């Protein structure tokens, strides 16, 4: 079930199902509001999105109330998460999935929101989106690519042919908007050659793995996994997290894997990632592509959890096409 697309004049509601919006400074919030308004949207905020406790989050009750209200409000056409965090999986068993299913609309966010987006897709069939948070729109420079793919995914029905960005960054932009480092993008690379088509699931790997063994874990049948991880991971940790996913029932029906770009602090190199992938016989027959523009570096694409994608990684042909979103 694909939610209605956004159009100019639509209302976007900001919610905090993980970390509180209060952790984002006022100057960057102002930039985010102005950026979204310049795209033609009306931005509103849920009652508890600034609530903050000792975990820089809010109570389960507050987060559930805000999400239910945002899905129920007929004026709201899309829900943007404030920022990521650590605890969106706390709220999964308290959500009213019947209410969400009866009021389908866009939900977009990434990182810790991986748990929420994949759970909603699993329980309701509603396509959700891994893409920028509200706070992401507070980035002053280098946002053109991110905005372009946000609009393609959420405002059109057209097939999206993903292309590598020209430049990328992995700096604490939220601390200093003026002194940024942009790195020339060398493009994607292929680890295993082949081609495949399937349903996208995934996002942040260690967060997706929190759903293992629960009713919220999506089926792996006929899927292409989009996976990334942040600066808290490192090669040995990533290896075991990936192995844990490979051990899941039905993994043999996964058709391909697309990896987002790793942060520099993780010290994941092409050579190390290739060695990890080549050590896993379960991946030998499926295409594996790496360094695509999503994850915790910028810019980033928006991709549909529950949407359809085709990937080609054969010889000089390297393509990613999002067919249904």
């Amino acid at each position: 079930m694909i939610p209605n697309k956004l159009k100019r004049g639509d209302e976007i509601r900001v919610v905090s199902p993980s970390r509180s919006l209060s952790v984002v400074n006022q100057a960057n919030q102002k930039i985010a509001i102005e950026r979204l308004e310049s795209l033609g949207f009306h931005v509103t905020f849920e009652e508890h999105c600034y609530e903050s406790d000792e975990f820089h989050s809010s109570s389960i009750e507050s987060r559930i109330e805000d999400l239910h209200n945002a899905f129920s409000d007929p004026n709201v056409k899309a829900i943007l998460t404030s920022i990521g965090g650590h605890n969106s999986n706390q709220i999964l068993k308290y959500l009213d999935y019947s209410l969400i299913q009866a009021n389908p609309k866009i939900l977009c966010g990434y990182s810790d929101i991986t748990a929420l987006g994949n759970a909603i897709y699993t329980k309701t069939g509603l396509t959700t989106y891994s893409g920028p948070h509200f706070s992401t729109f507070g980035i002053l420079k280098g946002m053109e690519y991110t905005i372009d793919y946000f609009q393609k995914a959420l405002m059109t029905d057209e097939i999206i042919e993903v292309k590598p960005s020209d430049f990328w960054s992995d700096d604490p932009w939220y601390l200093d908007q003026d002194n940024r480092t942009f790195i020339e993008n060398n493009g994607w690379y292929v680890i295993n050659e082949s081609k495949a088509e399937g349903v996208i699931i995934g996002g942040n790997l260690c967060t997706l793995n929190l759903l293992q063994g629960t009713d919220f874990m999506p089926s792996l049948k006929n899927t292409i996994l989009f996976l990334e991880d942040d600066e808290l991971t490192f090669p040995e940790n990533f290896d075991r997290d990936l192995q844990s996913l490979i051990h899941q029932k039905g993994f043999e029906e996964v058709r391909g894997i697309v990896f987002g770009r790793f942060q520099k602090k993780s010290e994941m190199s092409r050579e190390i990632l290739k060695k990890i992938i080549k050590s896993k016989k379960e991946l030998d027959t499926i295409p594996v592509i790496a360094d695509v523009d999503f994850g915790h570096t910028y810019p980033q694409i928006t991709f549909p959890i529950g949407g359809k994608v085709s990937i080609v990684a054969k010889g000089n042909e390297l393509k990613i096409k999002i067919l249904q979103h």
Side-chain angles (χ1 to χ4, degrees), residues 88-150:
S88 71
N89 70 323
Q90 289 178 342
I91 67 177
L92 300 183
K93 70 177 181 179
Y94 302 105
L95 284 169
D96 184 340
Y97 294 99
S98 296
L99 180 150
I100 293 170
Q101 194 170 41
N103 297 276
K105 58 188 66 175
I106 291 165
L107 172 74
C108 184
Y110 74 105
S111 191
D112 189 59
I113 307 305
T114 296
L116 180 62
N118 282 272
I120 288 175
Y121 167 64
T122 301
K123 299 293 281 186
T124 69
L126 175 64
T127 298
T128 60
Y129 298 87
S130 182
H133 300 301
F134 167 74
S135 56
T136 310
F137 287 93
I139 299 175
L140 195 57
K141 300 176 182 178
M143 275 291 288
E144 293 82 5
Y145 180 96
T146 298
I147 291 171
D148 183 32
Y149 282 88
F150 179 81

Side-chain angles (χ1 to χ4, degrees), residues 16-34:
S16 299
S18 187
R19 189 170 287 176
S20 169
L21 182 54
S22 65
V23 304
V24 180
N25 70 49
Q26 289 294 322
N28 292 342
Q29 288 186 46
K30 185 174 184 290
I31 293 168
I33 293 169
E34 291 174 350

Side-chain angles (χ1 to χ4, degrees), residues 30 48 64 107 176 215-216 225 256 260 289 311 317:
K30 185 174 184 290
H48 303 288
I64 290 294
L107 172 74
D176 191 343
D215 292 339
F216 309 113
L225 306 178
I289 299 171
I311 61 175
E317 192 175 12

Side-chain angles (χ1 to χ4, degrees), residues 44-179:
T44 57
F45 299 84
E46 273 299 337
E47 180 182 356
H48 303 288
C49 68
Y50 289 97
E51 184 180 314
S52 185
D53 57 19
E54 60 269 38
F55 303 106
H56 304 293
S57 184
S58 60
S59 69
I60 290 172
E61 291 79 10
S62 291
R63 286 179 279 157
I64 290 294
E65 181 182 333
D66 282 0
L67 276 167
H68 286 171
N69 190 59
F71 272 103
S72 299
D73 190 334
N75 295 317
V76 174
K77 306 305 178 186
I79 301 167
L80 268 186
T81 54
S82 298
I83 194 169
H86 299 277
N87 61 1
S88 71
N89 70 323
Q90 289 178 342
I91 67 177
L92 300 183
K93 70 177 181 179
Y94 302 105
L95 284 169
D96 184 340
Y97 294 99
S98 296
L99 180 150
I100 293 170
Q101 194 170 41
N103 297 276
K105 58 188 66 175
I106 291 165
L107 172 74
C108 184
Y110 74 105
S111 191
D112 189 59
I113 307 305
T114 296
L116 180 62
N118 282 272
I120 288 175
Y121 167 64
T122 301
K123 299 293 281 186
T124 69
L126 175 64
T127 298
T128 60
Y129 298 87
S130 182
H133 300 301
F134 167 74
S135 56
T136 310
F137 287 93
I139 299 175
L140 195 57
K141 300 176 182 178
M143 275 291 288
E144 293 82 5
Y145 180 96
T146 298
I147 291 171
D148 183 32
Y149 282 88
F150 179 81
Q151 291 177 309
K152 285 175 178 176
L154 303 185
M155 300 184 75
T156 79
D157 294 309
E158 298 172 5
I159 291 174
I160 302 171
E161 185 164 356
V162 181
K163 300 287 187 181
S165 63
D166 293 328
F167 297 93
W168 63 278
S169 66
D170 183 23
D171 48 18
W173 61 267
Y174 44 87
L175 298 178
D176 191 343
Q177 293 269 30
D178 296 319
N179 295 306

